[in-house]
Amino acid sequence: MIEVKDLSKDYIILKRKPGLSGAIRSLFIREKEIKQAVDHISFEIKPGEVVGYIGPNGAGKSTTIKMLCGILTPSHGEIRVNGVVPYQNRKQNAINIGAVYGQRTQLFWDIPVRESYELLRHIYEIPKNDFEARMKHFTEYLNLGPILDIPVRQLSLGQKMRCELAASFLHNPAVVFLDEPTIGLDVAVKENIRKFIREMNHLYGTTVILTTHDMEDIEQLCQRIIIIDNGSILYDGDLVAVKERFGHQRTIHFEMPQTDHFKLPASLESTVDVAEITESRVSLLFSSRDIKGAEVIAIMMAEYEVNDLTIKDTSIETIVKEIYERGI
Amino acid sequence: MRKYIAIFKSQIQITFAYSAWFWASMISAVFQLIILFYFWHAVYQNSDTIGNMNIKQMITYVMIATILGKFMNGAGSQLAGDIRTGQIATELMRPYNLLHKLMAMDLGGKTSDFIQSAVPLLVVAGLFFSITLPESLTAGILFVVSSILGILLAGVFDLIIGLLAFWTINTWGLRILRNAIVLFFSGSLIPISLFPPSMQLISQYLPFQSMVYVPVSIYTGAISGQDAWMAMGAQLFWIVFIYAVLRASWSQALRKVTIFGG
């Protein structure tokens, strides 16, 4: 479905010295700096796969996706999306792909959602029957019914994202790129969106590439992840393997009325570390392989008075950092 | 082609939806016509003809030219906005030619503008300011065709200005310059025939008089017969020429974007 071989992308950045003299200087002498946003990466994605493409900000995720969409021409290497070279056949590639960009809209700002879809039907030349069947399906799944007649500019973020998602799957593309599809949304909408993505993947065999900073998104949707940092691939493979290796660290914050005389219960001493003690909070760090979270909580509750607690998972950033420092 | 027609139709609807904007522009246009009427009456106080035109011809010319002049903008500012905000990336992921999509949108907007404002303004001008009808039926038909050509020409020209946003971040200054040049050399302010001979000569080699002066002069009969066909041929030439320049700079700009990443 997607073949990427030895792909690189260099940006040329024009450097400018600060201040007025720098501005004048730059009129005559232009200093160029080459930044390698993507550095000789290769991967292959099979039809129907849901792949998490993750990494910290500025790692080269967007650049890769833009090249897969045909908006950027690679400096080096080969790409094929559904048999098409994206930057050579941008319009042909456009029919094969769908995309949601968290911060940008692909709907038409001034007209009701329903008419936006109608317009997309013409733009993507979707047969009327297919269109209607899929619309019916999407309306049900994403609960679009009540918002179809509202102009896009009046929608809330959650409503807009649901509409965007439907728009990106409307022409039944072979591949869909989702860039931060759940950013800034509440739990219910996130859940709704994940369910929809799973369903589309299941029903139509749509290949999905997902970039996100939300560990939940990845755990619930992806079987495979590709981790990229500084333009190179750090890891490409099973999600389970990564989780086993890195996803076991947990932090629990206990909100307590009194922390002055806190001492780690004896039964936890061998497996749990005290990460931090403040006036009203104790944070404990442990590995879920050594001890279950529930057990830690039970022991703490038995020994101390606890008002509240929060459990923190390992974040993508931590995993990337660990892989970067220790390797896989 | 069907997709561009769908975009064209939807833009007609969108423009119809902005009724506040419509009434504001309508009222300002009526004021403009009133001012033109009294201004030219004052000018004609001491003479019967100016540059071979009597007052009736002059009023007819400036009113038609003013109304037509309202169609001399285009989708350039939309294109510039898309480039500046990065929205162009999403646009480039669609299976259409962005230039043609923008043209379809622009023509859709102009179609509804024509129905909602040009037609009423023409009626107002006819009833209260007694503008004359076209010279002949042929002149009337040629005027319509020539006006459409003029509007198309202005549209492609405007896209070139918008496209410059790829190289200069803000096209605001360029746009003001463009508006001044178009207002003056298109003949929407005064007929080109009133210009001094040297200016007339310069104007002949510029595309701008094809936008307003040519169609309105066909209407008033100042250009007729063989000359009218020649003038329309020139309009067609400019459209093709400027469109070719537009396409060439478009692919140049795209290469820049896709290779250098903006």
Side-chain angles (χ1 to χ4, degrees):
Chain A
M1 183 54 57
I2 296 177
E3 293 159 60
V4 170
K5 220 192 267 164
D6 215 13
L7 184 71
S8 294
K9 176 74 196 175
D10 307 327
Y11 288 120
I12 296 170
I13 299 169
L14 291 176
K15 269 170 65 173
R16 221 176 87 171
K17 297 251 159 62
L20 184 63
S21 62
I24 294 168
R25 239 179 88 101
S26 74
L27 285 176
F28 305 103
I29 307 156
R30 295 186 144 195
E31 274 180 64
K32 286 177 185 170
E33 187 188 15
I34 293 177
K35 183 178 180 276
Q36 212 156 38
V38 170
D39 189 4
H40 298 276
I41 62 170
S42 306
F43 58 84
E44 206 172 300
I45 292 171
K46 290 187 208 60
E49 269 193 296
V50 181
V51 177
Y53 193 53
I54 59 183
N57 291 329
K61 288 177 302 198
S62 299
T63 305
T64 318
I65 297 217
K66 277 183 184 162
M67 286 192 275
L68 290 169
C69 290
I71 306 170
L72 283 181
T73 307
S75 312
H76 180 261
E78 287 171 40
I79 327 177
R80 238 165 242 280
V81 176
N82 208 13
V84 176
V85 179
Y87 61 94
Q88 283 173 357
N89 295 302
R90 194 158 35 81
K91 266 159 79 176
Q92 163 113 54
N93 189 52
I95 294 171
N96 292 334
I97 62 170
V100 171
Y101 285 111
Q103 307 91 337
R104 293 208 180 109
T105 181
Q106 52 179 330
L107 298 165
F108 301 82
W109 205 240
D110 292 309
I111 52 177
V113 180
R114 189 191 299 279
E115 283 171 40
S116 259
Y117 291 149
E118 192 60 38
L119 210 47
L120 287 175
R121 173 169 87 79
H122 288 287
I123 290 170
Y124 285 96
E125 294 166 354
I126 308 167
K128 204 166 166 91
N129 291 341
D130 292 6
F131 172 78
E132 271 161 11
R134 231 167 293 152
M135 258 333 282
K136 200 167 155 247
H137 208 128
F138 292 177
T139 309
E140 194 182 307
Y141 253 90
L142 289 167
N143 193 21
L144 298 178
I147 52 177
L148 279 179
D149 293 311
I150 303 173
V152 175
R153 66 186 132 86
Q154 291 172 14
L155 296 177
S156 74
L157 185 61
Q159 291 172 329
K160 216 187 93 207
M161 193 45 85
R162 271 145 58 202
C163 294
E164 293 276 348
L165 211 59
S168 65
F169 280 93
L170 200 60
H171 52 290
N172 198 13
V175 186
V176 171
F177 301 101
L178 303 172
D179 189 10
E180 304 270 5
T182 60
I183 195 166
L185 302 177
D186 67 45
V187 181
V189 180
K190 277 186 182 180
E191 208 40 64
N192 189 208
I193 284 178
R194 288 174 195 144
K195 206 177 113 196
F196 177 75
I197 296 168
R198 263 199 307 271
E199 189 66 21
M200 287 302 108
N201 172 251
H202 201 77
L203 267 181
Y204 300 106
T206 315
T207 308
V208 177
I209 295 185
L210 179 74
T211 72
T212 182
H213 289 277
D214 189 329
M215 198 63 188
E216 277 287 301
D217 281 349
I218 293 165
E219 278 181 29
Q220 292 203 15
L221 293 170
C222 310
Q223 301 99 33
R224 173 182 165 194
I225 57 170
I226 297 175
I227 301 178
I228 179 170
D229 191 33
N230 271 330
S232 315
I233 291 178
L234 290 184
Y235 176 78
D236 178 358
D238 241 17
L239 175 64
V240 183
V242 171
K243 274 196 66 188
E244 265 176 18
R245 208 170 269 262
F246 301 99
H248 51 82
Q249 295 222 319
R250 299 275 183 283
T251 309
I252 305 184
H253 304 290
F254 293 92
E255 302 291 335
M256 303 185 350
Q258 268 250 349
T259 58
D260 298 349
H261 308 292
F262 178 79
K263 198 174 158 288
L264 199 62
S267 46
L268 292 179
E269 254 168 10
S270 59
T271 48
V272 176
D273 289 324
V274 179
E276 200 187 12
I277 300 180
T278 66
E279 242 171 76
S280 61
R281 194 165 78 176
V282 171
S283 306
L284 301 183
L285 182 76
F286 61 94
S287 156
S288 61
R289 278 191 292 206
D290 303 333
I291 186 167
K292 287 201 185 75
E295 218 170 307
V296 176
I297 294 168
I299 293 169
M300 282 291 288
M301 301 277 272
E303 300 251 343
Y304 292 97
E305 191 188 344
V306 174
N307 291 339
D308 201 357
L309 56 86
T310 38
I311 306 176
K312 283 265 177 331
D313 229 349
T314 324
S315 65
I316 300 283
E317 280 72 16
T318 325
I319 293 182
V320 171
K321 216 174 121 213
E322 287 208 26
I323 292 182
Y324 196 74
E325 279 165 6
R326 295 183 210 165
I328 191 102
Chain B
M1 194 60 201
R2 296 248 325 252
K3 58 185 88 166
Y4 300 111
I5 292 171
I7 290 165
F8 170 80
K9 279 190 194 155
S10 115
Q11 193 61 34
I12 293 181
Q13 284 177 9
I14 293 172
T15 316
F16 266 120
Y18 284 103
S19 60
W21 164 253
F22 160 65
W23 286 111
S25 66
M26 223 9 215
I27 289 165
S28 84
V30 170
F31 272 114
Q32 223 178 330
L33 293 189
I34 294 171
I35 291 164
L36 284 174
F37 184 76
Y38 287 110
F39 172 79
W40 283 104
H41 267 278
V43 170
Y44 271 88
Q45 208 114 67
N46 298 317
S47 57
D48 290 337
T49 61
I50 295 175
N52 289 332
M53 291 168 88
N54 64 32
I55 179 146
K56 212 162 172 147
Q57 287 170 319
M58 184 60 81
I59 294 275
T60 303
Y61 179 93
V62 292
M63 293 210 167
I64 303 273
T66 300
I67 295 169
L68 187 57
K70 299 204 174 303
F71 291 86
M72 291 305 124
N73 45 18
S77 46
Q78 163 113 33
L79 176 60
D82 282 353
I83 294 167
R84 204 175 50 243
T85 60
Q87 179 71 27
I88 191 146
T90 343
E91 292 290 335
L92 291 178
M93 274 172 40
R94 292 252 174 83
Y96 51 50
N97 181 315
L98 181 56
L99 289 179
H100 294 165
K101 178 244 183 179
L102 287 171
M103 282 180 211
M105 276 177 75
D106 181 36
L107 291 178
K110 281 172 178 164
T111 304
S112 58
D113 278 348
F114 175 75
I115 298 165
Q116 14 176 35
S117 51
V119 170
L121 282 175
L122 283 171
V123 172
V124 168
L127 288 179
F128 299 104
F129 305 122
S130 58
I131 62 166
T132 56
L133 288 173
E135 257 286 293
S136 60
L137 182 64
T138 332
I141 294 167
L142 290 186
F143 163 71
V144 172
V145 176
S146 174
S147 296
I148 292 171
L149 291 176
I151 289 168
L152 287 174
L153 174 59
V156 286
F157 182 71
D158 197 61
L159 280 174
I160 287 195
I161 301 289
L163 197 56
L164 290 173
F166 273 119
W167 292 277
T168 74
I169 292 160
N170 214 317
T171 55
W172 186 71
L174 274 171
R175 186 149 291 279
I176 289 183
L177 186 64
R178 179 212 97 106
N179 287 347
I181 290 173
V182 168
L183 191 65
F184 189 70
F185 277 107
S186 69
S188 66
L189 217 51
I190 51 166
I192 307 275
S193 54
L194 294 191
F195 284 8
S198 57
M199 289 286 242
Q200 282 192 43
L201 191 69
I202 294 171
S203 171
Q204 267 182 1
Y205 293 100
L206 294 175
F208 307 108
Q209 67 173 21
S210 284
M211 294 176 184
V212 177
Y213 176 69
V214 166
V216 184
S217 295
I218 290 175
Y219 183 98
T220 61
I223 301 178
S224 61
Q226 187 79 30
D227 289 346
W229 291 105
M230 288 283 284
M232 285 167 68
Q235 285 186 302
L236 209 58
F237 163 77
W238 281 115
I239 292 174
V240 172
F241 178 74
I242 292 183
Y243 180 73
V245 173
L246 176 66
R247 284 305 291 262
S249 14
W250 172 244
S251 53
Q252 198 63 37
L254 272 192
R255 199 169 313 147
K256 175 180 143 71
V257 167
T258 63
I259 292 178
F260 299 113

